[in-house]
mmCIF file of all heavy atoms in Angstrom:
data_model
loop_
_atom_site.group_PDB
_atom_site.id
_atom_site.type_symbol
_atom_site.label_atom_id
_atom_site.label_comp_id
_atom_site.label_asym_id
_atom_site.label_seq_id
_atom_site.Cartn_x
_atom_site.Cartn_y
_atom_site.Cartn_z
ATOM 1 N N ALA A 39 85.990 -36.630 32.027
ATOM 2 C CA ALA A 39 85.269 -36.809 30.762
ATOM 3 C C ALA A 39 83.771 -36.595 30.930
ATOM 4 O O ALA A 39 83.119 -35.965 30.091
ATOM 5 C CB ALA A 39 85.544 -38.213 30.208
ATOM 6 N N VAL A 40 83.220 -37.083 32.064
ATOM 7 C CA VAL A 40 81.771 -36.980 32.281
ATOM 8 C C VAL A 40 81.353 -35.549 32.590
ATOM 9 O O VAL A 40 80.342 -35.050 32.070
ATOM 10 C CB VAL A 40 81.339 -37.928 33.416
ATOM 11 C CG1 VAL A 40 79.883 -37.676 33.807
ATOM 12 C CG2 VAL A 40 81.506 -39.372 32.980
ATOM 13 N N PHE A 41 82.135 -34.863 33.433
ATOM 14 C CA PHE A 41 81.715 -33.540 33.911
ATOM 15 C C PHE A 41 82.360 -32.381 33.163
ATOM 16 O O PHE A 41 81.991 -31.234 33.393
ATOM 17 C CB PHE A 41 82.008 -33.407 35.403
ATOM 18 C CG PHE A 41 81.153 -34.302 36.258
ATOM 19 C CD1 PHE A 41 81.646 -35.484 36.750
ATOM 20 C CD2 PHE A 41 79.834 -33.967 36.530
ATOM 21 C CE1 PHE A 41 80.852 -36.328 37.531
ATOM 22 C CE2 PHE A 41 79.035 -34.795 37.299
ATOM 23 C CZ PHE A 41 79.547 -35.978 37.796
ATOM 24 N N MET A 42 83.334 -32.626 32.293
ATOM 25 C CA MET A 42 83.964 -31.538 31.543
ATOM 26 C C MET A 42 83.837 -31.737 30.029
ATOM 27 O O MET A 42 83.314 -30.869 29.322
ATOM 28 C CB MET A 42 85.445 -31.406 31.930
ATOM 29 C CG MET A 42 85.668 -30.887 33.336
ATOM 30 S SD MET A 42 85.104 -29.172 33.556
ATOM 31 C CE MET A 42 86.247 -28.326 32.478
ATOM 32 N N ILE A 43 84.341 -32.856 29.543
ATOM 33 C CA ILE A 43 84.362 -33.065 28.097
ATOM 34 C C ILE A 43 82.947 -33.228 27.541
ATOM 35 O O ILE A 43 82.572 -32.604 26.537
ATOM 36 C CB ILE A 43 85.232 -34.285 27.742
ATOM 37 C CG1 ILE A 43 86.651 -34.097 28.297
ATOM 38 C CG2 ILE A 43 85.265 -34.471 26.226
ATOM 39 C CD1 ILE A 43 87.370 -32.903 27.742
ATOM 40 N N TRP A 44 82.144 -34.093 28.208
ATOM 41 C CA TRP A 44 80.799 -34.355 27.708
ATOM 42 C C TRP A 44 79.921 -33.086 27.708
ATOM 43 O O TRP A 44 79.244 -32.815 26.709
ATOM 44 C CB TRP A 44 80.146 -35.474 28.511
ATOM 45 C CG TRP A 44 78.678 -35.624 28.222
ATOM 46 C CD1 TRP A 44 77.642 -35.390 29.057
ATOM 47 C CD2 TRP A 44 78.093 -36.005 26.968
ATOM 48 N NE1 TRP A 44 76.452 -35.610 28.430
ATOM 49 C CE2 TRP A 44 76.690 -35.985 27.142
ATOM 50 C CE3 TRP A 44 78.619 -36.352 25.722
ATOM 51 C CZ2 TRP A 44 75.814 -36.314 26.127
ATOM 52 C CZ3 TRP A 44 77.737 -36.677 24.708
ATOM 53 C CH2 TRP A 44 76.365 -36.659 24.913
ATOM 54 N N PRO A 45 79.883 -32.256 28.780
ATOM 55 C CA PRO A 45 79.079 -31.024 28.708
ATOM 56 C C PRO A 45 79.531 -30.073 27.601
ATOM 57 O O PRO A 45 78.696 -29.414 26.969
ATOM 58 C CB PRO A 45 79.285 -30.398 30.091
ATOM 59 C CG PRO A 45 79.590 -31.532 30.985
ATOM 60 C CD PRO A 45 80.400 -32.476 30.144
ATOM 61 N N ILE A 46 80.842 -30.012 27.353
ATOM 62 C CA ILE A 46 81.323 -29.122 26.280
ATOM 63 C C ILE A 46 80.812 -29.603 24.924
ATOM 64 O O ILE A 46 80.302 -28.815 24.114
ATOM 65 C CB ILE A 46 82.866 -29.069 26.313
ATOM 66 C CG1 ILE A 46 83.334 -28.308 27.559
ATOM 67 C CG2 ILE A 46 83.404 -28.398 25.045
ATOM 68 C CD1 ILE A 46 84.838 -28.308 27.726
ATOM 69 N N LEU A 47 80.914 -30.907 24.687
ATOM 70 C CA LEU A 47 80.443 -31.441 23.400
ATOM 71 C C LEU A 47 78.924 -31.361 23.292
ATOM 72 O O LEU A 47 78.380 -31.049 22.220
ATOM 73 C CB LEU A 47 80.926 -32.886 23.248
ATOM 74 C CG LEU A 47 82.455 -33.072 23.195
ATOM 75 C CD1 LEU A 47 82.796 -34.543 23.104
ATOM 76 C CD2 LEU A 47 83.043 -32.295 22.014
ATOM 77 N N ALA A 48 78.217 -31.619 24.415
ATOM 78 C CA ALA A 48 76.755 -31.533 24.390
ATOM 79 C C ALA A 48 76.289 -30.105 24.133
ATOM 80 O O ALA A 48 75.307 -29.876 23.412
ATOM 81 C CB ALA A 48 76.188 -32.053 25.716
ATOM 82 N N GLY A 49 76.987 -29.117 24.715
ATOM 83 C CA GLY A 49 76.630 -27.719 24.469
ATOM 84 C C GLY A 49 76.858 -27.324 23.023
ATOM 85 O O GLY A 49 76.040 -26.603 22.430
ATOM 86 N N LEU A 50 77.966 -27.798 22.452
ATOM 87 C CA LEU A 50 78.224 -27.501 21.043
ATOM 88 C C LEU A 50 77.161 -28.129 20.151
ATOM 89 O O LEU A 50 76.683 -27.512 19.184
ATOM 90 C CB LEU A 50 79.613 -28.019 20.665
ATOM 91 C CG LEU A 50 80.047 -27.799 19.216
ATOM 92 C CD1 LEU A 50 80.096 -26.297 18.910
ATOM 93 C CD2 LEU A 50 81.393 -28.445 18.938
ATOM 94 N N TRP A 51 76.756 -29.348 20.493
ATOM 95 C CA TRP A 51 75.710 -30.029 19.716
ATOM 96 C C TRP A 51 74.374 -29.284 19.845
ATOM 97 O O TRP A 51 73.670 -29.075 18.853
ATOM 98 C CB TRP A 51 75.588 -31.471 20.195
ATOM 99 C CG TRP A 51 74.573 -32.292 19.468
ATOM 100 C CD1 TRP A 51 73.341 -32.658 19.898
ATOM 101 C CD2 TRP A 51 74.716 -32.842 18.154
ATOM 102 N NE1 TRP A 51 72.697 -33.404 18.959
ATOM 103 C CE2 TRP A 51 73.512 -33.540 17.863
ATOM 104 C CE3 TRP A 51 75.726 -32.827 17.205
ATOM 105 C CZ2 TRP A 51 73.308 -34.203 16.660
ATOM 106 C CZ3 TRP A 51 75.521 -33.497 15.999
ATOM 107 C CH2 TRP A 51 74.339 -34.167 15.734
ATOM 108 N N SER A 52 74.031 -28.851 21.046
ATOM 109 C CA SER A 52 72.765 -28.132 21.257
ATOM 110 C C SER A 52 72.738 -26.800 20.534
ATOM 111 O O SER A 52 71.661 -26.343 20.120
ATOM 112 C CB SER A 52 72.533 -27.901 22.759
ATOM 113 O OG SER A 52 72.382 -29.121 23.432
ATOM 114 N N SER A 53 73.899 -26.169 20.382
ATOM 115 C CA SER A 53 73.926 -24.845 19.731
ATOM 116 C C SER A 53 73.572 -24.933 18.248
ATOM 117 O O SER A 53 73.322 -23.910 17.622
ATOM 118 C CB SER A 53 75.305 -24.211 19.902
ATOM 119 O OG SER A 53 76.283 -24.902 19.136
ATOM 120 N N LEU A 54 73.523 -26.139 17.697
ATOM 121 C CA LEU A 54 73.188 -26.301 16.284
ATOM 122 C C LEU A 54 71.702 -26.616 16.088
ATOM 123 O O LEU A 54 71.259 -26.810 14.957
ATOM 124 C CB LEU A 54 74.035 -27.427 15.677
ATOM 125 C CG LEU A 54 75.551 -27.270 15.825
ATOM 126 C CD1 LEU A 54 76.261 -28.481 15.246
ATOM 127 C CD2 LEU A 54 76.025 -25.999 15.129
ATOM 128 N N PHE A 55 70.923 -26.664 17.179
ATOM 129 C CA PHE A 55 69.503 -27.005 17.090
ATOM 130 C C PHE A 55 68.683 -25.931 17.816
ATOM 131 O O PHE A 55 69.226 -25.130 18.581
ATOM 132 C CB PHE A 55 69.242 -28.377 17.730
ATOM 133 C CG PHE A 55 69.889 -29.515 16.998
ATOM 134 C CD1 PHE A 55 71.222 -29.841 17.221
ATOM 135 C CD2 PHE A 55 69.171 -30.248 16.069
ATOM 136 C CE1 PHE A 55 71.826 -30.887 16.539
ATOM 137 C CE2 PHE A 55 69.771 -31.295 15.384
ATOM 138 C CZ PHE A 55 71.102 -31.611 15.615
ATOM 139 N N ASN A 56 67.383 -25.955 17.595
ATOM 140 C CA ASN A 56 66.488 -25.051 18.326
ATOM 141 C C ASN A 56 65.928 -25.755 19.553
ATOM 142 O O ASN A 56 64.717 -25.706 19.815
ATOM 143 C CB ASN A 56 65.358 -24.562 17.413
ATOM 144 C CG ASN A 56 64.468 -25.713 16.971
ATOM 145 O OD1 ASN A 56 64.867 -26.872 17.062
ATOM 146 N ND2 ASN A 56 63.271 -25.399 16.490
ATOM 147 N N THR A 57 66.804 -26.373 20.320
ATOM 148 C CA THR A 57 66.398 -27.126 21.508
ATOM 149 C C THR A 57 65.723 -26.202 22.510
ATOM 150 O O THR A 57 66.190 -25.089 22.762
ATOM 151 C CB THR A 57 67.631 -27.784 22.148
ATOM 152 O OG1 THR A 57 68.366 -28.486 21.143
ATOM 153 C CG2 THR A 57 67.221 -28.745 23.236
ATOM 154 N N SER A 58 64.617 -26.674 23.090
ATOM 155 C CA SER A 58 63.880 -25.880 24.066
ATOM 156 C C SER A 58 63.603 -26.709 25.301
ATOM 157 O O SER A 58 63.330 -27.916 25.216
ATOM 158 C CB SER A 58 62.564 -25.377 23.466
ATOM 159 O OG SER A 58 61.767 -24.760 24.463
ATOM 160 N N LEU A 59 63.675 -26.065 26.481
ATOM 161 C CA LEU A 59 63.327 -26.756 27.717
ATOM 162 C C LEU A 59 61.847 -27.093 27.775
ATOM 163 O O LEU A 59 61.431 -27.982 28.519
ATOM 164 C CB LEU A 59 63.696 -25.880 28.922
ATOM 165 C CG LEU A 59 65.154 -25.895 29.382
ATOM 166 C CD1 LEU A 59 65.316 -25.010 30.596
ATOM 167 C CD2 LEU A 59 65.614 -27.309 29.684
ATOM 168 N N ALA A 60 61.030 -26.384 27.002
ATOM 169 C CA ALA A 60 59.591 -26.637 26.994
ATOM 170 C C ALA A 60 59.231 -27.850 26.158
ATOM 171 O O ALA A 60 58.051 -28.212 26.073
ATOM 172 C CB ALA A 60 58.857 -25.402 26.481
ATOM 173 N N GLY A 61 60.204 -28.469 25.516
ATOM 174 C CA GLY A 61 59.939 -29.629 24.686
ATOM 175 C C GLY A 61 59.582 -29.214 23.260
ATOM 176 O O GLY A 61 59.944 -28.130 22.801
ATOM 177 N N GLY A 62 58.857 -30.072 22.573
ATOM 178 C CA GLY A 62 58.486 -29.770 21.189
ATOM 179 C C GLY A 62 59.478 -30.352 20.210
ATOM 180 O O GLY A 62 60.451 -31.025 20.586
#
Side-chain angles (χ1 to χ4, degrees):
V40 171
F41 292 100
M42 290 294 294
I43 303 299
W44 169 247
I46 290 175
L47 297 178
L50 180 61
W51 181 256
S52 296
S53 69
L54 304 177
F55 294 83
N56 64 342
T57 310
S58 172
L59 278 182

